[in-house]
């Protein structure tokens, strides 16, 4: 059962804050049916992350796409998933002008689909595939269909180059614009919500530390402690994000209504 006192405390902190930023991870999308990576039924419990690095992709793009189709057959599906109550709660917080932006490690596009408009995609977006030779982009739905019909690896219609999901694979750099903007947002916020991430993958996991270094309060929402807990984060709401976030936002609305601000 979530701690109602902490729900009220976080709502007060959000209302008082000048600039709130959220860092989200796979834990925000598990209630949309997308497994996370390191939780009890996470992707890396079933597949070897070494098969999904950029060098593994370049060494054997056919095998990468075969494994990707296998993951889909095993139920690790991103395309077609729908936002859950956690995504909608964060979109509502932005509408209430109490969430400046979301920095997400997720590649599912569900924050935008739920209505969030300022989303920094730190690890790219799996709804597109890109040619590694000429940079032409294709909708992933179309590319996965071609791969399922046997075109392995799928190739660029313009130059014949190999297509790659437009996500940041291990060993790849974070897109420079996302990295620079995310670091600035971490420096300039006075409250960072760290939601549904194990905080073990860098450089995303440095963002809460940057926020802390620049004087922000850092609050985690997760169903388990992380390396940030009790060290970087000021407190943690332990439980399901799909239950906690709507309660926090309802409390924020209540406070704003009492202040005559909505
Ligand atoms: N409610 C609250 N917490 C949850 C929920 C939920 N419904 N579901 C999962 N979690 C928690 C898990 O306990 C875990 O602490 O969310 C966290 C998810 O951690 P990871 O699976 O490691 O996902 P993430 O932190 O986003 O991974 C970062 O690693 O593999 C790479 O590129 C990939 O972006 C990903 C990066």
């Amino acid at each position: 059962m979530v701690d109602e006192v902490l729900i009220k405390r976080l709502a007060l902190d959000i209302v008082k804050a000048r600039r709130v930023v959220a860092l989200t991870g796979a834990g925000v999308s598990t209630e949309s049916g997308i497994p996370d990576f390191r939780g009890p039924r996470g992707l890396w419990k079933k597949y070897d992350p070494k098969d999904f690095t950029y060098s593994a992709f370049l060494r054997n793009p056919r095998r990468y796409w075969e494994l990707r189709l296998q993951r889909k057959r095993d139920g690790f599906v991103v395309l077609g998933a729908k936002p859950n109550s956690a995504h909608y709660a964060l979109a509502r917080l932005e509408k209430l002008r109490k969430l400046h932006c979301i920095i997400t490690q997720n590649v599912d596009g569900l924050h935008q689909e739920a209505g969030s408009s300022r989303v920094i995609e730190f690890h790219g977006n799996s709804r597109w595939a890109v040619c590694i030779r000429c940079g032409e982009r294709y909708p992933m739905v179309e590319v996965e269909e071609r791969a399922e019909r046997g075109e392995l690896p799928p190739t660029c219609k313009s130059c014949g180059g190999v297509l790659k999901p437009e996500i940041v694979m291990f060993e790849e750099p974070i897109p420079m614009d996302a990295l620079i903007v995310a670091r600035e947002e971490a420096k300039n916020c006075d409250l960072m919500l760290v939601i549904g991430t194990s905080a073990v993958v860098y450089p995303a996991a440095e963002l809460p530390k940057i926020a802390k270094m620049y004087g922000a309060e850092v609050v985690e929402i997760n169903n388990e402690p992380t390396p940030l807990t009790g060290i970087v984060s000021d407190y943690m709401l332990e439980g399901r994000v799909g239950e906690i976030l709507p309660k926090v936002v309802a409390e924020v609305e209540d406070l704003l209504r009492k202040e005559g601000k909505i």
Side-chain angles (χ1 to χ4, degrees):
M1 194 54 194
V2 190
D3 185 330
E4 296 300 331
V5 172
L6 286 180
I7 296 258
K8 289 187 185 313
R9 177 179 175 186
L10 180 52
L12 267 172
D13 284 348
I14 290 171
V15 169
K16 272 191 341 246
R18 168 185 47 79
R19 191 177 176 115
V20 183
V21 165
L23 170 67
T24 65
V28 167
S29 295
T30 50
E31 294 171 60
S32 294
I34 302 175
D36 62 13
F37 296 93
R38 297 170 186 83
R41 287 182 300 286
L43 192 70
W44 301 143
K45 294 276 190 299
K46 191 171 172 70
Y47 290 87
D48 183 347
K50 284 198 293 299
D51 289 332
F52 295 89
T53 61
Y54 191 45
S55 50
F57 171 81
L58 293 176
R59 219 177 9 258
N60 190 340
R62 179 188 176 90
R63 183 161 187 278
Y64 172 87
W65 280 98
E66 283 169 344
L67 279 172
R68 187 182 168 86
L69 294 181
Q70 184 57 49
R71 272 173 34 178
K72 191 175 170 189
R73 284 190 288 276
D74 289 351
F76 289 94
V77 182
V78 174
L79 294 181
K82 289 295 164 215
N84 66 59
S85 54
H87 297 105
Y88 288 115
L90 290 173
R92 176 69 182 140
L93 210 50
E94 180 190 309
K95 296 275 182 304
L96 291 168
R97 304 166 62 77
K98 295 309 293 179
L99 179 63
H100 178 72
C101 76
I102 296 173
I103 304 161
T104 189
Q105 300 171 84
N106 301 339
V107 296
D108 53 36
L110 293 182
H111 284 302
Q112 296 92 318
E113 196 165 326
S116 292
S117 61
R118 277 193 300 276
V119 180
I120 299 165
E121 293 187 310
F122 209 66
H123 292 161
N125 187 311
S126 64
R127 297 192 170 182
W128 294 92
V130 61
C131 173
I132 61 171
R133 184 187 294 165
C134 73
E136 177 113 16
R137 299 169 74 236
Y138 299 85
M140 182 56 85
V141 173
E142 166 203 318
V143 174
E144 278 193 349
E145 280 167 5
R146 287 160 59 190
E148 273 154 354
R149 287 201 299 272
E151 185 185 341
L152 289 167
T155 54
C156 177
K157 291 175 182 163
S158 304
C159 77
V162 170
L163 299 184
K164 168 189 169 294
E166 202 169 41
I167 60 173
V168 177
M169 295 180 176
F170 289 121
E171 301 167 1
E172 276 196 285
I174 303 298
M176 191 46 74
D177 55 342
L179 186 61
I180 290 169
V181 174
R183 281 181 174 155
E184 278 310 299
E185 291 296 352
K187 285 180 188 170
N188 298 326
C189 71
D190 59 341
L191 174 59
M192 179 176 277
L193 310 178
V194 181
I195 310 170
T197 179
S198 58
V200 295
V201 173
Y202 284 79
E206 77 179 10
L207 296 169
K209 298 176 182 175
I210 293 173
K212 191 77 195 167
M213 229 162 43
Y214 279 77
E217 188 175 49
V218 175
V219 180
E220 287 184 275
I221 303 175
N222 198 317
N223 58 17
E224 64 177 2
T226 75
L228 301 176
T229 309
I231 300 169
V232 176
S233 42
D234 294 84
Y235 60 95
M236 165 186 263
L237 281 73
E238 193 152 353
R240 273 190 324 102
V241 292
E243 177 190 359
I244 293 171
L245 278 171
K247 286 186 173 180
V248 171
V249 175
E251 194 64 34
V252 166
E253 287 186 297
D254 210 23
L255 290 169
L256 292 174
R257 207 171 287 116
K258 282 177 186 145
E259 291 178 7
K261 289 189 176 158
I262 54 172

